[in-house]
Amino acid sequence: MRGCASKNCPPRKTLPLLSSQTFVSKRPDSDPFNGASCGALPADVLHYSQGQPAKPARDLVAREEPLEIRVRGRSVAVTMRTPGHDRELAAGFLLTEGLLQNRDQVVEIAPCLEGSAPENTLNVFLSPAVDVNFEQLTRHVFATSSCGLCGKASIEAVHQHFPPVESCLTVSTEVLAQLPARLRAAQQAFAQTGGLHAAAIFDAQGRLLIAREDVGRHNAVDKVLGAGLLEDRLPFDSHVLLVSGRASFEIVQKALAGRIPIICAISAPSSLAVEFALESGQTLVGFLRDQRMNIYSHPERVVRLAE
């Protein structure tokens, strides 16, 4: 995988690898705001197996709780999420909704102690220079595939905030084929529960930089983008996003907010995701597994080293 060193596409600065992270904690009281993940909780189950009597057992299930995001004290969204890296989730959400562009716009993200559930409420304090249109800022400010609007209107709404990507990054099929296993190795909560989605950012050498898990696939993407924003790593215009499930319209538009040129999914893309990627200059890869893949848009970024 390599970036273009031409005048129009200068090489990006090298991003350091993140330090080793704990993606899941067995302590349900871990602090999600400070990054500790609370991805799994124990549950009593009755286990059945063909030809065997039922047996009581203990299992781990994916943790799911609401998170209310407030901006300047006003509620703007409630999302169901897996506690962990909640500050990144809030920052990534506001980035993909078009409110934030850089780290300097964020003064502080802190638990709202005045809320009825401080552990599930975050207040985002923004620079006074940031103009917030609260009437427009909702969880579905951009049309999704289930909102009832036509696909063309949805795409045009996003492009009013985020122009198409321009990137001369290329990646080999050999490198892409290695990414799912690298993400899977980082999915500790999924290994325990089987019930979490994951998203990851890879650099130009195929190294895993950031990986996050969540019960919501869009939340996992918000978390990796929020990490990039809070650590001043954006734009991700020489990077690859990999998601563990399917690629929906919402996933691809979030990637556009982070300026990501290549989006890969273990499963299938939706029709609107393909249309959006085509018009946004993004390479969309689906069914990336078992050394196979389908390239649905802008295949020029994917090359075969053997050729």
Side-chain angles (χ1 to χ4, degrees), residues 81-101:
R81 99 299 190 193
T82 298
H85 305 285
D86 285 348
R87 285 190 174 91
E88 296 173 357
L89 173 56
F93 166 78
L94 295 176
L95 169 74
T96 60
E97 295 296 342
L99 182 64
L100 297 179
Q101 290 80 42

Side-chain angles (χ1 to χ4, degrees), residues 4 28-29 49 75-77 90 94 105 111 116 178 183 190 206 213 227-228 232 250 252 258 262 273 281 303:
C4 173
D29 59 344
S49 183
S75 180
V76 298
L94 295 176
Q105 294 175 311
S116 59
Q178 298 172 12
L183 174 59
F190 177 83
E213 295 184 273
D232 201 19
E250 188 174 23
V252 183
I262 301 177
V303 299

Side-chain angles (χ1 to χ4, degrees), residues 175-214:
V175 168
L176 282 183
Q178 298 172 12
L179 303 187
R182 294 175 183 176
L183 174 59
R184 182 66 181 83
Q187 293 179 252
Q188 296 184 22
F190 177 83
Q192 292 184 316
T193 68
L196 290 176
H197 294 282
I201 299 293
F202 292 88
D203 72 1
Q205 288 73 45
R207 296 183 303 169
L208 177 63
L209 298 180
I210 308 170
R212 297 289 185 265
E213 295 184 273
D214 200 279

Side-chain angles (χ1 to χ4, degrees), residues 233-294:
R233 294 174 168 223
L234 295 181
F236 284 141
D237 53 359
S238 295
H239 299 77
V240 177
L241 170 69
L242 174 64
V243 295
S244 61
R246 64 185 180 88
S248 64
F249 167 82
E250 188 174 23
I251 296 297
V252 183
Q253 75 90 5
K254 286 179 180 294
L256 182 63
R259 315 309 297 160
I260 299 174
I262 301 177
I263 304 102
C264 299
I266 304 297
S267 190
S270 68
S271 62
L272 192 54
V274 173
E275 183 181 355
F276 183 87
L278 282 167
E279 296 198 22
S280 299
Q282 296 168 294
T283 300
L284 181 58
V285 178
F287 296 104
L288 179 60
R289 58 194 186 211
D290 302 324
Q291 301 298 310
R292 297 178 296 172
M293 68 193 74
N294 291 342

Side-chain angles (χ1 to χ4, degrees), residues 59-129:
D59 196 9
L60 289 172
V61 296
R63 190 175 184 185
E64 181 178 27
E65 294 182 9
L67 175 68
E68 180 182 4
I69 300 173
R70 299 183 181 185
V71 174
R72 294 173 178 160
R74 182 168 173 175
S75 180
V76 298
V78 176
T79 184
M80 301 303 295
R81 99 299 190 193
T82 298
H85 305 285
D86 285 348
R87 285 190 174 91
E88 296 173 357
L89 173 56
F93 166 78
L94 295 176
L95 169 74
T96 60
E97 295 296 342
L99 182 64
L100 297 179
Q101 290 80 42
N102 57 69
R103 177 63 180 85
D104 293 340
Q105 294 175 311
V106 180
V107 176
E108 184 183 8
I109 303 177
C112 184
L113 301 181
E114 296 180 357
S116 59
E119 71 280 6
N120 286 330
T121 310
L122 277 181
N123 200 355
V124 182
F125 298 92
L126 302 177
S127 165

Side-chain angles (χ1 to χ4, degrees), residues 1-11 165-171 237-239 261-262 281 283 300-303:
M1 190 184 299
R2 58 189 183 275
C4 173
S6 69
K7 180 179 180 180
N8 294 328
C9 299
V165 165
E166 294 183 5
S167 172
C168 46
L169 173 71
T170 61
V171 55
D237 53 359
S238 295
H239 299 77
I262 301 177
T283 300
E300 64 275 7
R301 291 196 182 95
V302 180
V303 299

Side-chain angles (χ1 to χ4, degrees), residues 6-21:
S6 69
K7 180 179 180 180
N8 294 328
C9 299
R12 300 293 303 170
K13 62 182 180 180
T14 301
L15 300 179
L17 282 168
L18 294 182
S19 60
S20 177
Q21 302 172 30

Side-chain angles (χ1 to χ4, degrees), residues 23 56 103 107 154 156-157 191 206 221 230 239 255 258 298 304 306:
F23 289 85
R103 177 63 180 85
V107 176
S154 301
E156 290 177 352
V221 175
L230 294 178
H239 299 77
H298 297 280
R304 297 187 64 179

